Amino acid sequence: MIGTGILKGMAVTARNFVGSYFEKDRLITVQYPEERSPLPENYRNFPFLIYDTDDPEAGLRCVACKICEKECPPQCIYITKSEDKKPDYLGKPQFYPAVFDIDISVCMSCQICVEVCPFEAIKMDKVFELSRRERFDALLLRKSDLAKSNTYYHSICPTDASEVDAKLAQSAAKKKPAPPSPASADAVPATPSTPPTRA
């Protein structure tokens, strides 16, 4: 019959229109910015850098290995490696990024930088209100803008952050040498027994 599709579509529209007065789930209009829809945990927008401890400089996980810069498809990450080393959040001397910039006007939020990072130092943020009046320099996020704490990462992605922390703790435990047991430290090395000599 001609017009069946139109009638079915109008029925769906009428059902949603009437249902919106009784069921909150059917309300699709959000009065932004006063009201905001909650973002799912796997939502991603632009990358940010994670730091541990309270110091964004000393606690930065990034060691400027430049893998993310090389693998970035639009080439929007710019890293300059430091000339010296400084202790990281674990106290181990590491190189660090003297410059770490991301051009968000070019970034396509592909998350490849997150997937290739061996140090779990770069993750995807949920912040999307990044519009600027200027076109060029204002869209270049520098290291100070990108650095956010591990606590912040836990607040936006609690499941992933817990898995990352567990993985980092496990790898740190593997690298740490096991302390000698007290029994082995007190033990006296046995002298090899010599066979009796015949006269």
Side-chain angles (χ1 to χ4, degrees):
M1 178 179 169
I2 298 173
T4 307
I6 295 175
L7 291 174
K8 286 180 180 178
M10 293 300 292
V12 170
T13 303
R15 188 167 60 248
N16 284 318
F17 174 73
V18 174
S20 66
Y21 285 95
F22 305 103
E23 298 177 32
K24 193 174 181 181
D25 292 342
R26 290 181 181 270
L27 292 174
I28 56 171
T29 303
V30 176
Q31 301 301 321
Y32 180 85
E34 290 80 14
E35 298 177 14
R36 294 167 186 259
S37 298
L39 297 172
E41 187 172 345
N42 60 353
Y43 174 86
R44 65 176 190 253
N45 202 35
F46 293 115
F48 72 98
L49 297 173
I50 297 181
Y51 67 86
D52 296 289
T53 68
D54 296 329
D55 187 359
E57 283 290 330
L60 207 62
R61 291 180 184 174
C62 178
V63 297
C65 65
K66 295 191 176 184
I67 295 175
C68 57
E69 182 184 48
K70 292 171 188 170
E71 296 294 330
C72 178
Q75 298 294 297
C76 66
I77 301 176
Y78 311 101
I79 302 172
T80 304
K81 195 178 209 175
S82 62
E83 299 292 333
D84 59 329
K85 290 185 178 183
K86 66 179 181 182
D88 62 0
Y89 66 103
L90 295 174
K92 183 180 177 183
Q94 292 279 13
F95 288 107
Y96 59 93
V99 175
F100 196 116
D101 298 338
I102 296 180
D103 189 350
I104 62 170
S105 66
V106 180
C107 177
M108 61 184 193
S109 304
C110 64
Q111 200 175 343
I112 291 177
C113 55
V114 175
E115 294 170 3
V116 299
C117 180
F119 301 99
E120 304 288 353
I122 188 166
K123 297 295 177 184
M124 300 303 284
D125 206 347
K126 292 186 178 183
V127 177
F128 57 89
E129 297 167 313
L130 294 169
S131 60
R132 302 285 190 273
R133 289 185 179 274
E134 299 81 16
R135 291 180 56 198
F136 301 107
D137 195 49
L139 295 173
L140 191 68
L141 295 183
R142 310 204 185 280
K143 184 172 67 169
S144 58
D145 305 317
L146 295 168
K148 296 185 180 179
S149 67
N150 192 30
T151 308
Y152 171 78
Y153 181 44
H154 274 269
S155 68
I156 62 169
C157 296
T159 307
D160 289 344
S162 301
E163 291 176 3
V164 167
D165 283 355
K167 189 164 83 171
L168 290 175
Q170 187 178 6
S171 63
K174 282 182 183 177
K175 291 178 183 176
K176 193 180 291 184
S181 61
S184 61
D186 297 336
V188 179
T191 56
S193 59
T194 54
T197 55
R198 295 189 182 188

